[in-house]
Amino acid sequence: MDDKIILTGIKPTGTPHIGNYIGALLPLIKMSENHKTFMFIADLHALNAMHDAKEIRQHTYEEAALMIACGLNLENTVLFRQSDIDEVYKLTEFLMNVTPKGLMNRAHSYKAIVEKNTEAGIDIDSGVNMGLYTYPVLMAADILLYNSDIVPVGKDQKQHVEFARDIAGYFNNIYGETFKLPEPIIGEDTGYLPGLDGRKMSKSYDNTIPLFAPSNELKKKIMRIITDSKTPEEPKNPDESTIFQIYKAFATPDEIAGFRKMFLDGGMGYGTAKTILFEKIDSALAEKRAKYEYLMSHTDEIDAILEAGAQKARMVAAKTIAKVKKKMLGL
Ligand code: ADP
Ligand code: TRP
C-alpha cells in the first residue's frame, strides 16, 4: 500500500445507473482497497442548484448507502458528509483571497452558461449565483483540506482539480510551501457502457438502467434495449450488441465466451438474450441491493458511519486550518 492519499467527492444529485457503477463506483471501491481514501458526499456542492433540503438529505443517504452496499473498504476509507466539517467553510473563505476572479471566469461550467445567455441576448450572468461561480474554490478547499495527492474524477471535473492545483500554487507562492499539489486521475474515456438506445448510458439521454431497481423494473428496462431486426435463427454480431456489451461488464470470462458463441452461432433470439442479461445483472446485484435497501430503511446506521468518518476527517482538517490561519493571520 503506497502512502498516497486519495480523495473524491460525490455530488448527491440523482439515482445512479449501472454505467456510473461500472465506470466510476467500482474503480473507486477497488482503489480504496489499498489506499488511504477520503470520500465524502458533497452536499454543499449541491446547494447552488438544489434548494430542497429534504431532497439533498435523501440523496446524501442514497449515495452513502450505495458506496457501503457496494463494498467500500471502511477500514481504509474515511466516508463522511462534506457539510459536517466546519473547516471546509473556513478554508473556502481563506482561499477566496488568493484566487483570481479571472480563474473562475474560465471555468467550463460557468463559461457554458455565459455562452448560452449571450446567445439568448440576456444578461451574461443571468441564473448564476455565487455558489455556482465559486464552486471551484469550495472544491479546492475539499481537496487541500485533507492533503490529497490523487483525486479520481470524471472528465468533466478535471479542470476543477487543475484549479485546486493552481490555487494551492498561488497560496504557496505568497505564504511559502503549505499545500501539496494534487493530481487528477481521469476515469477511462473509452469503454463507456451503452444505454438502452445504444448511445452512452447517461442521465442526460434518459436511456439508463438504474443500479438498484427492483427485479421487475430491471427486467422491464432490459426488455426495452433497442436491437436490430435479425430473426432468432440468424447469427448476430456480439460486438455491435448493447445486450452483449452490458453483459460483459458483469460476467466472468468463461460466461462471456459462452454468450459470444451463442450470438455468433445463431439460434438465439434477442428476447432470450435479454433474459440471460437480466438474470446475470439481477443475480450479480442481488446481495448489494439487499444491503442498500436495508441501509435505506436504517438511516441511523448510515448516520453513525458518516459521523465516525467526520470525526476522523475533522482531525486532519483542524490541523490544516491551524496552519493556514497562522500563515495568513499570524494567529
Ligand atoms: P451521467 O452521464 O449519467 O450524467 P455522470 O456524468 O454524472 O453521468 O457520471 C458520473 C461518473 O460515472 C463519471 O465518472 C463517469 O465517467 C461515469 N459514467 C457515467 N456514465 C457512464 C457510462 N455509460 N459508462 C461508464 N462510466 C460512466
Ligand atoms: N464537483 C464534483 C462533481 O460534481 C464533486 C466534488 C466535490 C468533488 N468536491 C470534490 C470531486 C473534490 C473530487 C474532489 O462530481
Side-chain angles (χ1 to χ4, degrees):
M1 170 152 154
D2 71 31
D3 53 3
K4 293 249 191 280
I5 298 175
I6 313 251
L7 170 137
T8 200
I10 302 164
K11 208 154 78 165
T13 44
T15 313
H17 53 74
I18 63 173
N20 301 138
Y21 172 71
I22 297 295
L25 299 188
L26 278 190
L28 271 179
I29 286 170
K30 246 203 200 116
M31 215 182 273
S32 76
E33 284 299 321
N34 50 13
H35 286 90
K36 179 151 178 53
T37 306
F38 287 90
M39 192 178 289
F40 56 90
I41 317 302
D43 55 349
L44 294 173
H45 271 114
L47 282 176
N48 71 72
M50 284 168 75
H51 294 155
D52 179 342
K54 257 212 219 121
E55 201 183 337
I56 295 180
R57 198 175 120 98
Q58 177 67 13
H59 285 321
T60 299
Y61 279 137
E62 284 169 8
E63 296 290 356
L66 181 73
M67 297 310 294
I68 301 165
C70 289
L72 183 71
N73 180 327
L74 289 169
E75 299 272 308
N76 295 339
T77 309
V78 179
L79 179 69
F80 60 102
R81 181 190 264 137
Q82 184 188 28
S83 63
D84 278 343
I85 313 298
D86 286 350
E87 284 78 1
V88 81
Y89 308 85
K90 297 183 187 176
L91 188 57
T92 303
E93 181 60 26
F94 284 131
L95 294 178
M96 290 281 184
N97 298 289
V98 298
T99 304
K101 178 167 177 282
L103 192 69
M104 299 298 100
N105 292 341
R106 289 199 290 280
H108 298 318
S109 44
Y110 170 66
K111 266 172 58 179
I113 299 176
V114 168
E115 272 165 31
K116 219 161 123 196
N117 286 343
T118 307
E119 266 168 37
I122 54 179
D123 185 286
I124 58 162
D125 283 328
S126 177
V128 177
N129 59 39
M130 289 303 285
L132 188 150
Y133 189 64
T134 60
Y135 187 104
V137 188
L138 174 59
M139 187 150 156
D142 286 330
I143 294 171
L144 302 178
L145 198 52
Y146 306 102
N147 309 313
S148 322
D149 294 293
I150 293 176
V151 185
V153 282
K155 207 166 58 179
D156 63 319
Q157 297 295 317
K158 178 167 182 255
Q159 190 198 35
H160 289 149
V161 183
E162 289 164 354
F163 280 7
R165 231 181 128 82
D166 293 342
I167 294 171
Y170 298 134
F171 190 100
N172 291 349
N173 270 339
I174 303 172
Y175 294 106
E177 211 49 37
T178 308
F179 293 118
K180 284 197 239 176
L181 302 187
E183 297 270 357
I185 302 192
I186 311 307
E188 284 284 311
D189 209 7
T190 52
Y192 270 133
L193 211 64
L196 301 179
D197 58 0
R199 293 186 291 173
K200 175 200 164 204
M201 187 178 293
S202 171
K203 286 193 286 290
S204 348
Y205 297 148
D206 199 15
N207 64 355
T208 65
I209 301 177
L211 183 55
F212 289 143
S215 288
N216 54 352
E217 195 185 314
L218 179 65
K219 185 159 197 176
K220 253 195 240 154
K221 287 273 183 190
I222 289 174
M223 291 301 161
R224 277 180 38 203
I225 292 175
I226 294 172
T227 62
D228 58 31
S229 51
K230 289 210 168 74
T231 62
E233 294 71 35
E234 282 178 89
K236 303 170 182 68
N237 182 349
D239 298 317
E240 282 174 4
S241 163
T242 301
I243 302 170
F244 186 72
Q245 299 314 311
I246 300 179
Y247 184 87
K248 271 200 325 200
F250 288 89
T252 64
D254 279 354
E255 289 168 338
I256 296 169
F259 203 37
R260 170 179 282 282
K261 190 163 178 310
M262 287 162 82
F263 270 80
L264 294 172
D265 287 352
M268 172 181 68
Y270 284 122
T272 308
K274 287 176 182 177
T275 302
I276 293 173
L277 173 64
F278 160 70
E279 280 164 4
K280 183 83 249 162
I281 300 185
D282 196 49
S283 65
L285 295 178
E287 206 179 303
K288 296 182 169 99
R289 182 169 56 208
K291 177 119 202 246
Y292 175 83
E293 281 166 2
Y294 171 84
L295 287 165
M296 287 308 289
S297 53
H298 295 80
T299 49
D300 52 325
E301 293 190 23
I302 306 178
D303 281 327
I305 291 172
L306 293 179
E307 182 46 36
Q311 281 180 20
K312 291 188 195 153
R314 263 182 224 121
M315 293 204 291
V316 182
K319 284 193 191 139
T320 307
I321 288 297
K323 205 157 65 173
V324 170
K325 220 169 163 181
K326 186 146 196 99
K327 298 218 173 178
M328 291 188 90
L329 296 167
L331 296 173

